[in-house]
Amino acid sequence: MATIAPVSNAVSVRPGLLEGLRRSLAIATKRNRRFWFSLSLLTLLIAFSLFGPYVFDKTDPKRLIGGLYDSPSAEAWLGTDNFGRDVFTQLMFGTRTSLTIGVIAGLIAILIGVVIGTTAGYHGGRIEESLMAFTNIVITIPSIVILILLSIALTTRSVVTMGLIIGVTSWPWTARAVRAQTSSLRTREHVDIARISGAGAASLILREILPYMLSYIVMAFVLQLSSGILQEAALAMLGLGPSNAISLGIMLHWALLWESVRTGAWWAFIPPTVLLTLIAFSLLLLQSSADEIFNPRLRRK
Amino acid sequence: MILKNVHAHYETDHGPVVRAVDDVSLSVADGEVLGIVGESGCGKSTLASVISLTARPPLHVTAGEMVLDGEKITLTDQARIPQDWHGRKVSLLPQRAMNSLNPTARVSDFVVDVMRAHDPTILPKEAIEQALERLEQLSLPSRVLESYPHQLSGGMRQRVVAIVSTLLNPSTLIADEPTSALDVSSQKELVLLLQALLERGFIKRIIYITHDLPMLSNIADRIAVMYAGEIVEIDTTKSMIDSPRHPYAQTLIGSTLDPDPRVREHRIKGIKGAPPDLRKPPSGCRFHPRCPYIMDICSQESPPLVGTETNFCACWWVQKQTDATTFAKVQA
Amino acid sequence: MSKFQRYLVNKLLWFILAFCIALVLNFLLPRLIPGNPVDTIVAQMSAGGGVSGPALEKLYNSYIAEFGLDQPLWKQFLIYLGNLSRGDLGTSFAQSPARVQRLVSEALPWTIALMLPAILVGWIVGNTLGALAGYKGGWLDRIVFPTSLFVSSIPYYCLAIILLYLFAVEFDIAPTGGGYGYDKSPSLTIPFIIDVLRHYWLPFLAQATIFIGGQAVGMRAMSIYELDADYVRFARGLGVSDNRITAYIFRNAMLPQVTGLALSIGGLVSGGLISEIVFSYPGIGTLLFKAIRTSDYPVIQGITLVVMVGVLTANFIVDIAYGFIDPRIRAKASGES
């Protein structure tokens, strides 16, 4: 499980929001090679999972093309798995599933986290205390345990439900970070002005607070995405992956169960391992370099 | 103490450097308190970093010398400044004293570290005894030594910082807006403490940097007015308050000190415009875009220094006035 | 009540509250299953053809009775609490009539012996590296930072798989799995202990390495942040030695890292459980893996409960330790005004 670093005090984007975001990105990223590297790597991975099957004309991950752990060959570039299915094809579809679940989980986590975080940070007082108490409790109870309990309760698990339950258990980090940002933004002049002119809480949060931490939320999403993908892989390795699809974690599950490591069938476990690592690495690098761009204090002088 | 031709700039990520201090020269006599005043962004805190030898990147000192008690150092190379100058020759009483003490160390631990940095043979016990003695002499409670910073009130914390920064009897103390975060009574106590330090001879002189003119007029012997990285006028406190000569000094002092609104109205029309962008300061006199007495020459050539080293003014208009007076005198 | 006592009481209340919520979740979530788990398991057994007829019915009835599944929910909860208070986690479905608490307590020492040292070593080494990289900068930072960032981004189980393949299969210098050799039986003899250590170092390395990376990245950021602090500038201005200033920075940057440790224990433990599967290490991760394969609900629930309680307790201990090392909490506020 990747430990999610609390998002640090990023500088908020100035008004004229998208333009401002675009411009600061354009200036700052010129010198940040890590940012471009991670972004390209990620794009490559996404393209591989989305277009790969058509480019390589390998569109059926379930087709049996050989026996147990056939070595890589001209037909099966990365050999076959324990059922005799093509590892390379599975890899493309597995990456797609993992990314999809990650995106669903990330979006849900961000949605819940932002709602709870802004509500707590904006209102303060009792509301803030109770919401944050709730958040802290959810943080301390290990989410994998909740996920296991939920997964065994669900007899069939689709890609969407997997994304859903992972999102529902992983929002607290975002909620905390967003709350901290909101309470510091709350006292800004432009928020006061809007408040005096009679804007309601919801519209204040939407118009005067959220736009100022857009960069922040984007970074939080990247973290949630990465943790969602890893949570799915962990569950799948335990045997609790989506029942209607192939994912990188499920590939590892079968590889471990069918002794691929001990029999030296490296093609069954190294490729999904490498892909998971690349996804996690590119996302973490993207987040940390974006953090440096938005938060100049981390930049070395 | 003499400071000669100090230049310092900030490096920025993109584009030109910010020339925050430009050719500043000063002298401070023994027992004197020199005040430096100016709007925020005029370079006074930068000057404080440079004089207190605490300039760190992105701030770079590009020229300047300091002569102190007969010894001379070049300010440009941090590494070549002798270690014992830090805290012993010059010492900084910083802005935001609230955060200037390590939050997880007792004051006494810090005292020991400071003393031992200059005399490794001193025992912790002796260091603390010396600090206790100092506290007693200045009638501060001895228990502050055993406290953590969070256990002290803001005013007390600032006084403790002042004590620690003068523990090594530095010959010059640079106070950089030390009272900005304090309430009025704590401000007064700090000023009294600084005066006591000076009277008892623990320190020889103070350079007091602030934007708070009323406060400065109570403690300073002379006042220097800074504008856009330069000193535009230096004079004794009394003449500065009563009859500032530089147009900027007039505006600044008029807007902050004069109790009578009619006089204020008469003297200034507020300072129009904003301080200049120090990445590309205006040509000639840096104040000319905002000056009510602007003449042709002001935007073309740097103004001359009128007066002596300890009491001068840099302004074309003032020079013209002086010339006229002199001319009138000669005529008479 | 002093600030410190208030802190302790507050943390204790939190612990108790989280504990209760954990109990309720552990009870409630598996009961969200439509029908009841016994139906499922019995259906699977009869499909497998192992058990049939009256034997099956007898089994079914005994399970229903044990969990009180024919009772209303609140009664089931009381039965559950009653069983727990006696330390009874129920009977395993798959290894009937083995008691769950016996299976868990056999596996738990292996897991603790693996995780605790790995977390401690990882924390200490990681923070030292991170502080050095942050403070010294230069070549050290250029090596430590990207390496740590990369290592910390590797999922635990991925590193475990790669290490296992490299060391056990390619180089053949470590066993391919297990906590001890198949030919040995557990005993307190020197050869057995050596054998255990031979199986130990690789899982340990996998667990510690990633944690080192994560801690180093965090500590580096904290140190760079502290370097800018006003107290550092003041101490420098007074000529305090670099060594002493580094000590201040380390101490102050470390405090948030302790809090961070409390919050990351959950992730560490779950990562560790999955790594156990890779190494077939005889801890509760592997037990969980088997239980899930055989739909052994009592064992799964027993393990989730133990993990929750373990993580909450570890959290609580770290929080208390934090109270002791942060003077802002420990030192009583003096009456100074």
Side-chain angles (χ1 to χ4, degrees), chain B residues 19-37:
Chain B
R19 291 154 64 181
V21 172
D22 215 10
D23 202 18
V24 166
S25 299
L26 285 173
S27 66
V28 194
D30 281 5
E32 190 181 34
V33 178
L34 173 71
I36 298 181
V37 71

Side-chain angles (χ1 to χ4, degrees), chain C residues 11 35 41 64 94 100 127 137 190 221 236 244 265 288 306 316:
Chain C
K11 288 292 170 195
I41 190 83
I64 293 288
V100 174
N127 282 303
I190 304 280
R236 277 204 177 113
R244 295 300 305 149
I265 285 176
L288 177 67
V306 166
F316 178 64

Side-chain angles (χ1 to χ4, degrees), chain A residues 166-190:
Chain A
I166 292 173
V168 164
T169 53
S170 63
W171 52 267
W173 295 98
T174 300
R176 277 164 64 118
V178 167
R179 183 208 64 92
Q181 282 292 300
T182 309
S183 19
S184 77
L185 281 169
R186 176 177 60 175
T187 51
R188 293 253 186 107
E189 201 178 350
H190 64 93

Side-chain angles (χ1 to χ4, degrees), chain A residues 27-28 31 299 301, chain B residues 12-14 57-58:
Chain A
I27 298 168
R31 293 165 49 147
R299 238 177 285 160
K301 285 149 191 164
Chain B
T12 53
D13 276 1
H14 325 279

Side-chain angles (χ1 to χ4, degrees), chain B:
Chain B
M1 175 186 134
I2 302 168
L3 203 63
K4 266 193 217 148
N5 308 101
V6 175
H7 291 256
H9 67 238
Y10 288 96
E11 258 170 25
T12 53
D13 276 1
H14 325 279
V17 297
V18 177
R19 291 154 64 181
V21 172
D22 215 10
D23 202 18
V24 166
S25 299
L26 285 173
S27 66
V28 194
D30 281 5
E32 190 181 34
V33 178
L34 173 71
I36 298 181
V37 71
E39 290 169 280
S40 45
C42 71
K44 52 190 196 307
S45 274
T46 310
L47 187 61
S49 299
V50 175
I51 316 177
S52 63
L53 312 175
T54 54
R56 290 187 72 78
L59 174 60
H60 297 275
V61 186
T62 47
E65 288 177 353
M66 189 196 293
V67 181
L68 190 57
D69 304 332
E71 287 176 63
K72 185 167 103 176
I73 54 163
T74 315
L75 295 169
T76 45
D77 192 354
Q78 272 286 331
R80 285 178 53 200
I81 295 171
Q83 186 59 29
D84 69 325
W85 277 60
H86 296 280
R88 181 156 262 181
K89 295 263 186 199
V90 290
S91 186
L92 176 70
L93 174 56
Q95 217 169 2
R96 297 185 300 250
M98 303 299 281
N99 307 323
S100 290
L101 292 171
N102 178 1
T104 57
R106 288 176 202 276
V107 174
S108 56
D109 298 334
F110 187 50
V111 163
V112 171
D113 284 341
V114 170
M115 303 283 275
R116 286 178 69 102
H118 294 270
D119 178 8
T121 59
I122 195 171
L123 295 173
K125 218 178 100 192
E126 294 165 353
I128 291 175
E129 271 164 19
Q130 287 188 26
L132 278 174
E133 193 188 341
R134 179 64 58 89
L135 287 171
E136 209 170 293
Q137 287 165 333
L138 296 162
S139 29
L140 283 171
S142 58
R143 71 190 148 78
V144 298
L145 274 186
E146 286 314 303
S147 305
Y148 286 97
H150 73 273
Q151 295 171 305
L152 304 172
S153 68
M156 182 56 88
R157 213 179 300 175
Q158 183 62 291
R159 271 172 278 160
V160 168
V161 168
I163 298 284
V164 176
S165 66
T166 54
L167 214 50
L168 301 159
N169 300 342
S171 84
T172 303
L173 179 69
I174 294 106
D176 182 9
E177 307 241 15
T179 55
S180 55
L182 300 180
D183 60 86
V184 180
S185 70
S186 301
Q187 289 186 0
K188 201 188 254 168
E189 290 196 69
L190 184 72
V191 168
L192 289 175
L193 176 66
L194 291 180
Q195 281 169 338
L197 285 164
L198 203 58
E199 273 161 25
R200 288 173 174 268
F202 296 137
I203 49 179
K204 287 192 193 151
R205 55 191 84 79
I206 299 177
I207 297 180
Y208 195 105
I209 293 169
T210 183
H211 60 262
D212 186 352
L213 254 173
M215 145 88 51
L216 204 54
S217 59
N218 288 329
I219 181 172
D221 299 308
R222 277 190 305 143
I223 291 181
V225 176
M226 260 187 109
Y227 182 78
E230 296 174 327
I231 291 184
V232 294
E233 181 170 355
I234 287 195
D235 212 333
T236 59
T237 303
K238 190 168 161 27
S239 358
M240 181 68 84
I241 304 283
D242 293 347
S243 54
R245 289 176 290 165
H246 194 281
Y248 176 69
Q250 290 182 3
T251 349
L252 189 72
I253 285 159
S255 63
T256 44
L257 277 187
D258 225 306
D260 183 348
R262 275 172 310 157
V263 180
R264 212 157 27 183
E265 199 61 29
H266 166 75
R267 266 221 214 122
I268 352 112
K269 299 137 194 102
I271 311 181
K272 58 176 196 251
D277 181 351
L278 289 178
R279 281 175 299 183
K280 30 181 197 307
S283 59
C285 170
R286 289 183 176 183
F287 189 57
H288 84 258
R290 299 168 79 189
C291 184
Y293 308 119
I294 180 168
M295 302 184 293
D296 284 346
I297 194 164
C298 295
S299 62
Q300 287 151 17
E301 280 177 55
S302 295
L305 294 187
V306 186
T308 63
E309 196 184 314
T310 49
N311 122 20
F312 65 78
C313 175
C315 179
W316 286 112
W317 180 73
V318 172
Q319 194 196 37
K320 202 177 136 199
Q321 304 281 70
T322 320
D323 285 352
T325 329
T326 325
F327 185 69
K329 270 185 199 155
V330 172
Q331 288 280 305

Side-chain angles (χ1 to χ4, degrees), chain C residues 172-256:
Chain C
D172 200 17
I173 52 171
T176 55
Y180 49 88
Y182 294 112
D183 50 345
K184 309 257 189 330
S185 60
S187 60
L188 263 181
T189 58
I190 304 280
F192 181 73
I193 291 171
I194 290 174
D195 190 51
V196 166
L197 288 177
R198 211 167 60 83
H199 285 77
Y200 181 81
W201 67 271
L202 200 55
F204 174 82
L205 195 67
Q207 179 86 3
T209 307
I210 286 174
F211 195 45
I212 289 175
Q215 289 298 305
V217 171
M219 186 65 172
R220 172 185 175 271
M222 288 311 305
S223 304
I224 292 179
Y225 190 80
E226 289 288 325
L227 267 174
D228 254 2
D230 291 335
Y231 70 85
V232 172
R233 183 180 178 226
F234 185 47
R236 277 204 177 113
L238 289 173
V240 173
S241 70
D242 261 16
N243 282 341
R244 295 300 305 149
I245 295 178
T246 320
Y248 300 166
I249 291 178
F250 187 78
R251 170 111 198 232
N252 294 334
M254 190 194 74
L255 289 172

